[in-house]
Amino acid sequence: MDSTIDALKQDVFERNLNEPEYHQAVAEVLDSLGPVLEQHPEYLDHDIIHRLCEPERQIIFRVPWRDDRGQVHINRGYRVEFNSALGPYKGGLRFHPSVNLGIVKFLGFEQIFKNALTGLPIGGGKGGANFDPRGRSDTEIMAFCQSFMTELYRHIGEYTDVPAGDIGVGTREIGYLFGQYKRITNRFEAGAFTGKGLNWGGSLVRTEATGYGTIYFAREQLGTMGETLDGKRVSISGAGNVALYAIEKAQALGARVVTASDSSGCVYDPDGIDLELLKQVKEIERGRIRDYADRRGPRVEFHARITDVWDVPTDIALPCATQNELDGQSARALINNGVKVVAEGANMPCTPEAAQLLRAAKHVLFGPAKAVNSGGVATSALEMQQNASRDSWDFAYTESRLEEIMVSVHERVRATASRYGDPNDYVLGANIAAFTKVVDAMIAQGLV
Ligand code: NDP
Ligand code: 2IT
């Protein structure tokens, strides 16, 4: 079976040249499929792997806009509508200068499986632009979002494709995107977006959901070792949406979070992160992580090398910034320092070498992104449910739904992992559980 899978991977790589992140995401899934393809050779008869790896639709478009000085800029926008076997395409939009087709495809591919794991009726897609929001004024952000939506509107909709946020896209950007969509279509179609503001169709808990869900998942992992978060040391990277709310929930459950970072450096705060100060610096002032260190006091260390965040002795490590931010060297440092749980809050934050080392390390439970961070998109699906029924749920109820979903994702992953090998192999369990759900639906729906 290994040689069949290697040949399939090679085909996919050759059809998608110069897209290393996409190759990485495909290899991560396909390398888990040996045991399931052996038990179900009929999947190969349907040529299901090639179909799964070929997006249903890929849209690339020009985004022209003018900055505050009147200068014209041309960016490139993307939406990859990857798989609709389980529901409308669903996934975020990323605005970051590094965005290219290969990155959007890796994110869209991951999203198919993540969404399947939630148990909710959502397909997989992703989009974005190589636009850098850093340092841009509100009017520039609005100009960009309006131009982006002037093309994207024709491809999305409540029953078609439902975008949300990701890196560089939060409630402010969703607001400008939604406003332009409403203006062009003349429809208040709340269910066409998630991550909306609370007074115009958004759901309570969506802002917190990815970070909170990550902590619920890590709590479940610790539970299998008979341990809790109380009193544990936690290292987190990032200081954006996922990281901030992971810190919030970890602290609420009694852990001490000692690190945070952004693309300019990281901080080590031995007394535990002051979340109010960090939110002030990052969410309100949109400042740099160094400002946190400068204001917090002499015991806090600032390091310009982002990966220093993984050199600190810790019980739980949560990479919550971006892809490939935790490499083999950092994984070795974590293992040598006695880490117990590594759970991926970001998408594909561990390099293949790091993931392999953590997965193989005895006494470490490694949680892959598609399971760990699925609480964000799951709460997006809860937002869609509320929009469809013209209802809004309170915080406690919505959070209880998120918590139940994270517990069930964790159970589903472990049950599948145990059936096909080792219950502690979360990578195997997540990939096989999601794969079978998606391909069974694809086969049932015929050759489309
Ligand atoms: P934000 O834009 O809110 O924050 C991103 C954080 O990561 C910032 O601290 C940013 O630093 C840092 N970062 C971004 N790019 C890089 C880079 N190239 N190198 C180092 N640091 C970087 O994004 P989110 O918190 O929403 O997203 C973080 C991760 O979580 C991403 O992988 C995203 O795909 C994933 N995710 C997000 C979900 C959501 O609901 N938002 C759901 C599931 C996964 P700086 O400010 O300096 O750029
Ligand atoms: O990677 C992700 O799961 C997200 N950025 C959230 C997607 C969503 O549609 O809520």
Side-chain angles (χ1 to χ4, degrees):
M1 192 49 73
D2 285 358
S3 61
T4 309
I5 290 176
D6 282 344
L8 286 165
K9 276 196 299 193
Q10 213 44 50
D11 283 351
V12 176
F13 296 170
E14 281 164 22
R15 277 168 87 105
N16 299 275
L17 293 173
N18 303 319
E19 296 179 352
E21 292 86 1
Y22 181 51
H23 297 186
Q24 189 181 329
V26 167
E28 197 256 2
V29 172
L30 267 51
D31 285 340
S32 292
L33 299 182
V36 75
L37 295 178
E38 260 156 31
Q39 285 189 23
H40 296 279
E42 68 276 13
Y43 288 147
L44 292 171
D45 300 339
H46 287 273
D47 205 6
I48 206 73
I49 305 281
H50 283 124
R51 253 207 292 161
L52 193 58
C53 295
E54 186 67 21
E56 290 177 19
R57 191 175 297 108
Q58 308 183 54
I59 302 146
I60 303 184
F61 50 99
R62 179 170 68 199
V63 188
W65 61 282
R66 221 180 263 282
D67 69 21
D68 289 344
R69 290 177 305 139
Q71 195 182 328
V72 170
H73 298 263
I74 305 297
N75 284 101
R76 188 171 288 177
Y78 302 88
R79 187 76 184 166
V80 173
E81 298 180 333
F82 223 120
N83 191 298
S84 61
L86 300 180
Y89 310 109
K90 181 81 196 88
L93 296 171
R94 175 177 292 190
F95 291 169
H96 192 272
S98 63
V99 166
N100 58 38
L101 182 60
I103 288 184
V104 178
K105 280 164 71 177
F106 120 62
L107 290 164
F109 188 73
E110 277 283 292
Q111 200 81 47
I112 304 170
F113 303 99
K114 180 193 311 194
N115 294 4
L117 285 176
T118 66
L120 298 164
I122 39 181
K126 200 86 185 191
N130 63 344
F131 169 69
D132 189 355
R134 177 139 3 117
R136 291 292 172 197
S137 68
D138 256 15
T139 48
E140 290 173 325
I141 299 285
M142 179 164 39
F144 180 81
C145 289
Q146 290 183 339
S147 181
F148 184 86
M149 189 48 64
T150 301
E151 172 60 32
L152 188 67
Y153 87 93
R154 65 187 91 244
H155 306 290
I156 63 173
E158 183 180 348
Y159 297 106
T160 318
D161 183 356
V162 183
D166 192 79
I167 290 178
V169 177
T171 312
R172 172 181 60 166
E173 290 74 20
I174 295 292
Y176 297 146
L177 294 163
F178 178 71
Q180 184 74 348
Y181 180 80
K182 181 165 63 73
R183 182 187 190 192
I184 296 174
T185 60
N186 193 29
R187 286 157 64 87
F188 193 107
E189 194 185 333
F193 294 83
T194 62
K196 299 181 295 296
L198 295 178
N199 52 357
W200 43 277
S203 172
L204 286 162
V205 193
R206 177 63 191 88
T207 302
E208 296 83 357
T210 313
Y212 280 20
T214 295
I215 298 301
Y216 284 133
F217 197 92
R219 181 194 70 185
E220 294 302 298
Q221 291 180 288
L222 281 168
T224 67
M225 307 169 167
E227 303 216 32
T228 68
L229 275 154
D230 195 32
K232 294 287 186 308
R233 275 168 69 92
V234 180
S235 297
I236 292 185
S237 63
N241 173 266
V242 180
L244 289 173
Y245 292 95
I247 295 172
E248 186 166 287
K249 184 53 81 181
Q251 291 181 340
L253 296 180
R256 189 197 304 179
V257 182
V258 292
T259 64
S261 67
D262 65 13
S263 58
S264 64
C266 63
V267 292
Y268 171 59
D269 190 341
D271 300 325
I273 293 284
D274 176 344
L275 185 58
E276 211 172 310
L277 176 61
L278 188 61
K279 280 186 177 173
Q280 173 67 29
V281 169
K282 295 301 296 183
E283 266 187 336
I284 298 170
E285 298 169 19
R286 295 179 189 269
R288 310 308 294 150
I289 196 84
R290 181 167 208 137
D291 303 339
Y292 172 87
D294 292 345
R295 276 144 75 174
R296 171 78 166 134
R299 277 171 60 77
V300 173
E301 294 170 23
F302 171 78
H303 296 232
R305 203 167 63 137
I306 312 171
T307 51
D308 283 2
V309 75
W310 311 123
D311 292 341
V312 176
T314 196
D315 300 307
I316 298 155
L318 307 173
C320 295
T322 195
Q323 64 271 5
N324 291 326
E325 55 162 312
L326 197 165
D327 65 9
Q329 196 182 332
S330 297
R332 278 186 207 95
L334 285 167
I335 294 166
N336 292 339
N337 279 327
V339 75
K340 295 186 166 83
V341 166
V342 179
E344 296 185 314
N347 284 312
M348 207 167 76
C350 292
T351 64
E353 187 194 9
Q356 201 39 51
L357 288 165
L358 293 165
R359 210 174 146 186
K362 290 209 166 41
H363 315 299
V364 179
L365 286 184
F366 175 64
K370 55 175 75 70
V372 173
N373 72 34
S374 60
V377 75
T379 308
S380 280
L382 301 181
E383 183 171 331
M384 292 162 72
Q385 283 185 31
Q386 292 167 76
N387 295 149
S389 58
R390 300 189 182 279
D391 196 1
S392 59
W393 308 339
D394 67 24
F395 196 97
Y397 175 69
T398 315
E399 194 186 355
S400 73
R401 294 284 306 265
L402 166 64
E403 186 176 356
E404 272 167 31
I405 291 166
M406 295 317 298
V407 170
S408 75
V409 171
H410 182 265
E411 274 172 13
R412 195 168 294 140
V413 167
R414 281 188 69 91
T416 309
S418 350
R419 192 165 142 217
Y420 286 95
D422 167 6
N424 291 330
D425 190 346
Y426 287 75
V427 173
L428 186 79
N431 285 331
I432 294 184
F435 171 82
T436 49
K437 177 153 191 193
V438 174
V439 301
D440 286 347
M442 287 171 71
I443 292 168
Q445 291 168 29
L447 188 57
V448 294

